[in-house]
Amino acid sequence: MWEAVYIIEGLPRNASDIQPETVHADTQGQSLPVFGLSDLLGFDLLPRIRNWHDLIFYRPGEQSRYQHIDALFGEEVVDWKLIETHWADLLRTAISIRENKLSLVTLLRRLGNHSRKNRLYRAFRELGRAIRTLTLLCYLSEPALREQITAVTNRTEAFHGFADWLMFGGKLIGHNDPDHHEKVVKFNELLANCVIYSNACDITDAANALAAEGHPVDPDDLATVSPYITHSIRRFGNWTLNLTPPEHAPATRLDLEPRVLFATGHG
């Protein structure tokens, strides 16, 4: 659950031009309250769920029956009355999180205490039951959505693997200091992003050089080239920080000539 919580909490603080509307996570990145919270905050939570067929599909009403997919559903029914009763509290909580007046992590920790007796927790969980059921139905009926979730989570895992490879001293952080932990994680991800950027520039230069020489460059082939390249990196070499701007801006645009982009084999 905490994986998606930290991702969702950071999204309202995002002040950049890119405003994502979808949150992807692994199996641990989903729970019923998080599904309810993400919907109120305006995000679609689309985690990769292991053993999704073991999850409960909640019926919208006791009399709800379906001709072709009824076997998917159990007998559990969404308690819409509970959601309606606490709707104002749910909205007030979501607004407080979006306006950074309340930490999502703090909220869920509070909700987790005596959760069976916590009415707000039960309301979030009930809303999450409805939202997750809809998400599971979309997951089953849309092959493109399943491919998207798998591709995004695989890409994320590849980044984490690349960052772990660059991590000096292994994954174990030797100090029991939260501030030190945060610095190590942030510096490691900063280093990983710098190396990925450098690799991407090298790939761009190589592709542009091939195109300039008249060699055909297939975009489909180029799309399979990953920037997570390790064989050219001296991980334990000399790392120097040079803040002097380069004389020439690095090439960040593919300049593939149309005549060689989709070569037909004609001379």
Side-chain angles (χ1 to χ4, degrees), residues 66-256:
Y66 306 96
Q67 182 177 358
H68 302 294
I69 61 173
D70 196 69
L72 293 173
F73 292 81
E75 295 304 319
E76 293 84 351
V77 178
V78 175
D79 188 347
W80 300 107
K81 184 64 176 178
L82 179 65
I83 298 175
E84 181 181 1
T85 300
H86 298 284
W87 185 245
D89 295 328
L90 295 177
L91 290 180
R92 190 179 300 110
T93 302
I95 293 173
S96 296
I97 293 172
R98 179 169 287 280
E99 297 299 322
N100 296 319
K101 303 296 184 181
L102 176 64
S103 167
L104 182 55
V105 176
T106 302
L107 169 66
L108 287 180
R109 283 175 178 166
R110 291 176 180 174
L111 293 181
N113 294 330
H114 310 293
S115 56
R116 293 184 178 180
K117 298 180 181 179
N118 191 309
R119 290 175 294 177
L120 186 60
Y121 173 88
R122 290 170 52 207
F124 271 117
R125 183 186 61 186
E126 209 62 33
L127 178 61
R129 286 174 172 175
I131 301 302
R132 191 178 70 179
T133 298
L134 291 174
T135 301
L136 291 174
L137 290 173
C138 291
Y139 184 86
L140 285 176
S141 60
E142 301 179 21
L145 178 62
R146 297 196 296 271
E147 294 177 1
Q148 171 193 337
I149 294 174
T150 300
V152 171
T153 50
N154 285 346
R155 193 177 301 120
T156 302
E157 289 178 357
F159 172 80
H160 290 158
F162 186 74
D164 287 343
W165 183 83
L166 287 171
M167 185 77 167
F168 291 93
K171 299 181 181 180
L172 183 64
I173 301 177
H175 295 268
N176 191 23
D177 181 358
D179 292 335
H180 179 76
H181 293 174
E182 184 175 3
K183 287 181 180 179
V184 171
V185 172
K186 286 185 175 180
F187 290 163
N188 175 241
E189 292 193 351
L190 176 61
L191 175 61
N193 280 289
C194 289
V195 176
I196 290 170
Y197 178 74
S198 178
N199 286 339
C201 288
D202 292 341
I203 295 170
T204 302
D205 287 339
N208 287 338
L210 288 172
E213 293 173 3
H215 298 288
V217 179
D218 190 332
D220 291 335
D221 291 340
L222 197 59
T224 64
V225 181
S226 170
Y228 304 139
I229 299 173
T230 59
H231 68 269
S232 60
I233 302 171
R234 293 198 309 165
R235 184 168 48 152
F236 300 113
N238 296 323
W239 294 81
T240 59
L241 182 63
N242 184 0
L243 299 180
T244 303
E247 295 182 2
H248 303 286
T252 58
R253 179 180 180 276
L254 285 171
D255 189 18
L256 305 180

Side-chain angles (χ1 to χ4, degrees), residues 6-15 19-20 22-23 43 98:
Y6 283 108
I7 297 174
I8 292 174
E9 186 177 41
L11 287 177
R13 304 176 185 174
N14 177 24
Q19 295 292 324
T22 302
V23 176
F43 305 117
R98 179 169 287 280

